[in-house]
Each structure stands twice: as structure tokens, then as C-alpha cells.
Amino acid sequence: MELKEKVERYFEIEKSALEKIHISVPEDSYLYGIAKDHLDMVMNYYNDARYFYNKNDLINAFASLNYSYGWIDSAIRIGLFDGDSDHRLFTHFR
């Protein structure tokens, strides 16, 4: 698979993930601020990926997508985000 096709595929996967995730801790808890920070990091890296893609910098777009998704998976694993138990999109403890 060509790098451009792979990056586009990862954008599609992450779009599906972003539509599914939500913060799972109560808004009045200390962890809510941490969850918001995680979500900000997800979106910052995702937006970086879009920026790099639009500049045809596919290596950095791919790297940014992977960082973004890593933040999603880490937040799900520690319980800050809920991904509706989707084991296809997210890494969960069993």
C-alpha cells in the first residue's frame, strides 16, 4: 500500500474512533480535567496530521495520526474515555 493510501486509511479509522469516544469520568471529578487534556492532545495531533497531509508531508501526517491514536487508546485503557467496548477500534483490558 502506498503511503498516501495508508495515511488516508488511518484518517478514516481515526474519524470512526473520534465519532465513538466520549469522556467517561464525571465532570465534577479531578479526572475530568485530565480527560479534557487528553482529548485536547488527541485533537492537536489530529489537526497536525491534517496540516501535514495538506502540505503533502505524508511522513509527519502518519506520525501525527499515530500519536493521536495513541492518546485515544491510552485514555480508554485507563478509563478516561469510553469507546463503547469496541475492540476493533480500541485496545481494552480483558
Side-chain angles (χ1 to χ4, degrees):
M1 181 182 293
E2 293 291 324
L3 181 56
K4 185 172 184 173
E5 292 171 341
K6 184 172 267 196
V7 170
E8 289 169 352
R9 182 172 166 264
Y10 274 56
F11 271 120
E12 290 175 24
I13 292 168
E14 183 146 351
K15 183 176 181 254
S16 295
L18 290 172
E19 290 171 352
K20 191 165 272 202
I21 64 170
H22 61 275
I23 294 176
S24 61
V25 295
E27 285 188 39
D28 62 349
S29 74
Y30 171 77
L31 290 176
Y32 189 79
I34 294 170
K36 290 285 286 176
D37 287 344
H38 266 70
L39 188 55
D40 286 345
M41 291 301 291
V42 167
M43 295 312 300
N44 288 338
Y45 278 114
Y46 183 78
N47 291 330
D48 286 350
R50 283 275 171 219
Y51 171 81
F52 290 127
Y53 180 81
N54 290 334
K55 296 274 188 188
N56 205 35
D57 183 350
L58 300 176
I59 295 292
N60 282 314
F62 188 65
S64 295
L65 281 169
N66 279 280
Y67 271 101
S68 180
Y69 215 92
W71 279 90
I72 291 172
D73 261 349
S74 69
I76 286 178
R77 286 192 70 143
I78 61 176
L80 297 176
F81 296 170
D82 182 9
D84 293 328
S85 299
D86 187 331
H87 294 280
R88 183 183 57 84
L89 284 173
F90 310 113
T91 304
H92 294 272
F93 282 119
R94 287 194 181 232

